[in-house]
């Protein structure tokens, strides 16, 4: 869009641009910069327009984008051009992801490269390698307390190893997902060390204060993230002689995005990792980017402006790269991280569907789909050219952030129901065989979250110990049921490493002094590859889960209706144990898939008459996942316990 003020500034910037930039062939860069600069200027001015050095900061911003474009390898520039043409590439049903810790999965980046065949065997073609950057030993927060944004943890490899991994993954058509921790740094980062030494420039990279006056004003409205291990939101640094904002842990210093130098530094880092071959960048803790006294310092309007600006700038330099918003917040808030007041995503193209994940676990505990159906009804419709990451487990805990109104509509009392869920998944409830652990218990609010591997939460630990074949079968069916939901709901299914072979809780974290206080390490395993090899031995649990997921992924890739174009319809039925929804093809009305899930351990029925148009043309259903026709008795579809169907008309 042409607009005089921004156009004049852009002319001035290009007239002043460094010779080492202007002498390069920047045809595609200039085309994209011209197309995006009105939006870039508008956002940059809203955030930083009251500063005397605005023009100089804008100059630095453009030169940063141009420098990283020059550094971008030609093969990635060609990929950018291809993805600009196929702009819906990440919405296709062909993608299935897996998130993993490199060290726990394969030891090193080279080891991960040697295991790429494993993903292809399963059908996974998007791999999220969780943080691999340099962190201080003992205060790394699982890799999210970064002390150098460009240096790899030597225990897993080198920057050259990342390049080799990315290159081979592209040859195998596997997407690489990497993290950029945008909200904070380690207190051992170079910037923090300079701030600690008294450098005012770097003290302004963080929120630091001489006394408690301003911190105490913030604390009146800010919640505590880790009340057990890191109460409060500020930490006194003795060497600096100042209080510093530390929302997550006392060793993680929050970055001050009201300083444009911080924004430009972090943009430079994002583009650096885009140039290392990342197809997708996961932006960590985006809900916390802007701090404002009198607020919770989460989900502020300016945080969205920052993300919009990052997206616009990335589209100029590396338009083939998309963003994941790591924002584990209420549905009404998470939808905004796709972009507000927009038709297509203009912040992050992908967001975690934490609500769906938590609702699935509620259905597991209650063995009914009442809250699941109610919660999905209130899940806002996402924007076009945006999609969900649907997952069952991840490296983090399970939060129970359901809307209280939804809980009440299901005739539950919110506090009692959440306590029931905690008791159920920690094995305190009489009829539960789950072996989860509590995490983040807050004595002030009563809030508790849950840790544990998928298999252990599904009761597989207990079933294997007792040798009860029926219980083992039920646990496996439950694991597959949950995956059947994330594979068909709409979005990118994201498996968590180890779940594909039924990995149980790993209690060895209790022997590590740096980990024993954090129960989340119970579900961050080191893969036992001897155990994983049992995936090839019929009759083993590993074989049952792995082979079923392999089939599930293969079938999903063949179903065009599973692509994510807001083509899902929730179908409310009388049986409270059932979760039913339809997927359809926007251009081909006859291509439909009816998804039916039974969260009870007992068979349940569904009257086909309740399906409306989805059952009106019924002749005979076939379950495309199993290839078999389900039982129908007197116009009632029969669904066995812990079973799901992907039904098409035969």
């Amino acid at each position: 869009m042409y607009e005089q003020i921004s156009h004049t500034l852009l002319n001035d910037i290009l007239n002043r641009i460094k010779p080492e930039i202007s002498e390069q062939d920047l045809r595609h860069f200039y085309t994209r910069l011209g197309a995006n600069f009105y939006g870039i200027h508008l956002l940059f001015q809203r955030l930083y327009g009251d500063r005397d050095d605005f023009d100089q900061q804008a100059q630095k911003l453009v030169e940063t984008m141009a420098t990283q474009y020059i550094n971008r390898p030609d093969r990635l520039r060609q990929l950018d051009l291809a993805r600009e043409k196929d702009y819906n590439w990440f919405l296709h049903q062909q993608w299935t992801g897996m998130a993993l810790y490199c060290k726990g999965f394969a030891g090193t980046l080279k080891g991960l490269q040697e295991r790429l065949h494993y993903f292809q065997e399963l059908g996974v073609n998007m791999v999220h390698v969780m943080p691999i950057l340099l962190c201080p030993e003992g205060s790394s927060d699982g890799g999210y307390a970064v002390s150098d944004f460009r240096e790899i943890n030597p225990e897993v490899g080198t920057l050259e190893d990342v390049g080799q991994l990315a290159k081979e993954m592209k040859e195998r058509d596997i997407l690489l997902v990497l993290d950029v921790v945008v909200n904070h740094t380690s207190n051992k980062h170079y910037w923090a060390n300079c701030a600690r030494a008294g450098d005012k420039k770097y003290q302004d990279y963080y929120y630091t204060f001489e006394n408690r006056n301003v911190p105490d004003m913030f604390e009146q409205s800010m919640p505590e993230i880790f009340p057990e291990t890191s109460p409060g939101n500020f930490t006194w640094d003795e060497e600096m002689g100042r209080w510093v904002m530390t929302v997550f842990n006392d060793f993680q210093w929050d970055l001050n995005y009201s300083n444009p130098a911080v924004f430009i530094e972090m943009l430079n880092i994002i583009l650096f990792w885009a140039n290392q071959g990342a197809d997708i960048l996961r932006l960590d803790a985006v809900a916390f980017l802007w701090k404002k006294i009198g607020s919770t310092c989460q989900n502020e309007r300016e945080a969205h402006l920052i993300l919009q600006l990052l997206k616009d700038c990335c589209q100029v330099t590396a338009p083939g790269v998309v963003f994941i918003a790591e924002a584990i917040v209420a549905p009404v808030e998470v939808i905004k991280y796709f972009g507000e007041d927009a038709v297509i995503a203009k912040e992050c193209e992908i967001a975690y569907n934490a609500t769906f994940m938590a609702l699935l676990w509620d259905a597991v505990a209650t063995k009914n789909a009442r809250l699941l159906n109610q919660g999905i009804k209130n899940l806002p419709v996402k924007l076009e050219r945006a999609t969900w990451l649907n997952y069952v487990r991840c490296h983090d805990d399970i939060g129970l952030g359901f809307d209280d109104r939804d809980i009440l509509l299901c005739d539950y009392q919110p506090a009692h129901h959440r306590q029931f869920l905690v008791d159920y998944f920690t094995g305190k409830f009489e009829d539960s065989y789950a072996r989860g652990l509590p995490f983040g218990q807050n004595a002030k609010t009563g809030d508790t979250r849950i840790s544990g591997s998928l298999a252990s939460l599904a009761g597989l630990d207990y079933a294997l110990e007792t040798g009860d074949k029926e219980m083992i079968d039920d646990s496996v069916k439950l694991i597959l049921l949950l995956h059947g939901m994330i594979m068909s709901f709409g979005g990118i299914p994201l498996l968590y490493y180890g779940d594909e072979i039924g990995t149980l809780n790993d209690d060895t974290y209790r022997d590590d002094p740096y980990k024993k206080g954090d129960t989340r390490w119970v579900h961050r395993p080191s893969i036992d590859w001897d155990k994983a090899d049992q995936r090839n031995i019929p009759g083993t649990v590993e074989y049952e889960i792995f082979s079923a997921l392999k089939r599930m992924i293969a079938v999903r890739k063949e179903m065009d209706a599973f692509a994510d174009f807001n083509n899902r319809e929730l179908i409310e039925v009388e049986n409270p144990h059932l979760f039913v929804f339809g997927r359809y093809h926007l251009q081909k009305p006859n291509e439909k898939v009816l998804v039916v899930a039974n969260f009870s351990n007992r068979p349940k029925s569904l009257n086909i008459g309740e399906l409306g148009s989805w059952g009106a043309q019924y002749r005979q259903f076939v379950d495309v996942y199993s290839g078999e026709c389900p039982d129908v008795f007197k116009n009632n579809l029969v669904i066995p316990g812990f079973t799901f169907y992907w039904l098409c008309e035969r």
Side-chain angles (χ1 to χ4, degrees), residues 105 169 221 270 293 315 494 508 526 592 614:
F105 184 81
M169 287 177 71
S221 55
I270 285 170
I293 288 175
Q315 285 181 331
L494 183 69
T508 60
S526 292
K592 294 181 176 182
W614 287 88

Side-chain angles (χ1 to χ4, degrees), residues 425-646:
F425 288 114
T426 56
K428 294 180 181 177
F429 187 72
E430 184 178 353
D431 292 332
S432 168
Y433 299 111
R435 291 201 172 163
L437 297 170
F439 174 77
Q441 291 176 300
N442 189 327
K444 300 175 187 175
T445 64
D447 180 47
T448 302
R449 281 111 76 188
I450 298 157
S451 298
S453 76
L454 167 57
S456 293
L457 292 171
L460 188 57
D461 268 7
Y462 180 85
L464 289 171
E465 285 176 8
T466 58
D468 187 317
K469 182 66 168 62
E470 185 177 347
M471 290 183 64
I472 293 172
D473 288 345
D474 277 353
S475 296
V476 169
K477 284 196 289 186
L478 186 53
I479 290 168
L480 298 179
L481 168 63
L482 292 170
H483 282 101
M485 296 303 95
I486 66 169
M487 295 274 183
S488 56
F489 184 74
I492 302 173
L494 183 69
L495 283 64
Y496 185 61
Y497 80 120
D499 287 353
E500 77 284 1
I501 52 172
T503 301
L504 305 175
N505 283 349
D506 181 2
D507 294 324
T508 60
Y509 80 97
R510 293 181 171 133
D511 300 325
D512 187 327
Y514 297 130
K515 297 176 180 177
K516 63 181 181 181
D518 186 343
T519 61
R520 292 175 300 177
W521 285 103
V522 79
H523 58 255
R524 297 172 180 176
S526 292
I527 296 298
D528 180 344
W529 284 102
D530 288 335
K531 184 175 185 292
D533 285 343
Q534 294 187 74
R535 72 188 185 278
N536 299 313
I537 303 174
T540 65
V541 166
E542 292 79 9
Y543 176 86
E544 293 298 323
I545 298 174
F546 190 93
S547 59
L549 289 178
K550 181 177 178 179
R551 181 170 65 253
M552 204 182 295
I553 292 168
V555 172
R556 168 188 157 80
K557 290 179 180 179
E558 297 297 320
M559 307 302 295
D560 289 343
F562 283 168
D564 193 15
F565 295 101
N566 283 328
N567 50 331
R568 180 184 63 250
E569 179 183 342
L570 181 67
I571 302 169
E572 295 186 70
V573 298
E574 289 186 9
N575 195 315
H577 303 280
L578 302 181
F579 180 49
V580 184
F581 59 91
R583 302 298 313 280
Y584 52 91
H585 194 294
L586 293 176
Q587 281 78 44
K588 301 174 184 177
N590 291 329
E591 291 192 18
K592 294 181 176 182
V593 183
L594 180 69
V595 179
V596 182
N598 178 11
F599 281 89
S600 170
N601 60 343
R602 298 178 181 277
K604 299 297 174 182
S605 64
L606 169 61
N607 189 307
I608 293 171
E610 293 185 60
L611 297 174
S613 62
W614 287 88
Q617 297 177 342
Y618 164 73
R619 294 185 184 88
Q620 188 173 33
F621 285 127
V622 62
D623 175 26
V624 292
Y625 164 64
S626 67
E628 299 176 355
C629 294
D631 292 325
V632 177
F633 180 72
K634 292 186 178 180
N635 209 44
N636 282 275
L637 182 70
V638 178
I639 310 98
F642 294 147
T643 294
F644 72 93
Y645 289 139
W646 292 346

Side-chain angles (χ1 to χ4, degrees), residues 74 76 118 129 146 210 231 258 300 362-363 373 381 463 558 631 640:
D74 184 63
L76 297 181
Y118 181 80
V129 183
V146 178
E210 292 182 358
S258 61
E300 291 298 317
D362 181 89
N373 277 292
V381 177
E558 297 297 320
D631 292 325

Side-chain angles (χ1 to χ4, degrees), residues 62-73:
V62 172
E63 290 181 347
T64 297
M65 288 188 283
T67 299
Q68 290 292 8
Y69 178 80
I70 292 166
N71 293 339
R72 192 155 175 79

Side-chain angles (χ1 to χ4, degrees), residues 83-93 95 344 384-386 563-565:
R83 287 180 177 169
E84 282 181 315
K85 291 180 181 178
D86 182 18
Y87 48 81
N88 284 330
W89 64 271
F90 58 92
L91 301 180
H92 300 161
Q93 77 279 4
W95 303 115
I344 62 171
E384 296 178 18
R385 285 160 63 184
D564 193 15
F565 295 101

Side-chain angles (χ1 to χ4, degrees), residues 209-412:
F209 306 94
E210 292 182 358
N211 56 51
R212 283 288 310 188
N213 292 336
V214 174
D216 285 345
M217 292 180 68
F218 271 111
E219 292 283 19
Q220 292 178 46
S221 55
M222 291 178 71
E224 295 174 305
I225 304 302
F226 297 134
E228 287 181 297
T229 57
S230 188
N233 290 281
F234 291 85
T235 299
W236 174 256
D237 187 84
E238 192 66 41
E239 186 175 343
M240 184 168 56
R242 297 175 73 86
W243 291 93
V244 60
M245 184 178 284
T246 55
V247 168
F248 286 89
N249 289 291
D250 58 11
F251 51 81
Q252 289 166 301
W253 288 14
D254 283 59
L255 288 164
N256 175 15
Y257 276 90
S258 61
N259 179 355
V262 169
F263 176 88
I264 294 168
E265 291 267 23
M266 295 310 296
L267 171 65
N268 201 17
I269 288 160
I270 285 170
L271 296 178
F272 172 83
W273 286 107
N275 284 351
Q276 304 313 304
D279 299 282
I280 301 173
L281 290 170
R282 176 188 179 275
L283 306 185
D284 183 68
V286 293
F288 298 83
L289 293 181
W290 196 265
K291 311 304 194 291
K292 187 182 293 183
I293 288 175
S295 76
T296 62
C297 295
Q298 297 181 38
N299 305 311
E300 291 298 317
R301 176 63 177 157
E302 290 83 354
H304 293 284
L305 299 182
I306 289 167
L307 289 171
Q308 290 175 31
L309 186 54
L310 287 172
K311 172 47 59 181
D312 281 355
C313 292
C314 190
Q315 285 181 331
V316 172
T317 300
V321 173
V322 299
F323 292 164
I324 296 174
E326 192 273 325
I328 311 303
V329 294
V332 70
E333 294 295 339
V334 73
I335 205 79
K336 297 176 184 177
Y337 289 92
F338 293 130
E340 290 190 89
D341 306 320
V343 176
I344 62 171
K346 63 178 182 179
E347 291 184 25
C348 298
E349 293 89 344
I350 307 172
Y352 285 91
N353 199 347
T355 298
F356 186 42
M357 177 273 297
L359 289 169
L360 287 173
W361 283 110
D362 181 89
V364 169
T366 60
K367 294 184 174 55
N368 71 64
R370 291 165 63 194
L371 187 56
L372 174 56
N373 277 292
Q374 180 62 39
I376 293 303
K377 279 195 290 187
N378 292 331
L379 187 68
V381 177
K382 65 172 183 60
L383 299 177
E384 296 178 18
R385 285 160 63 184
T387 195
W388 295 111
L389 269 184
N390 296 314
Y391 63 108
V392 180
R393 289 298 294 116
C394 68
H395 72 287
D396 236 330
D397 54 274
I398 299 171
L400 305 175
F402 313 114
D403 190 310
D404 282 359
R405 290 169 296 183
D406 287 340
I407 298 175
L408 289 166
L409 286 170
C410 294
D411 298 324
Y412 300 134

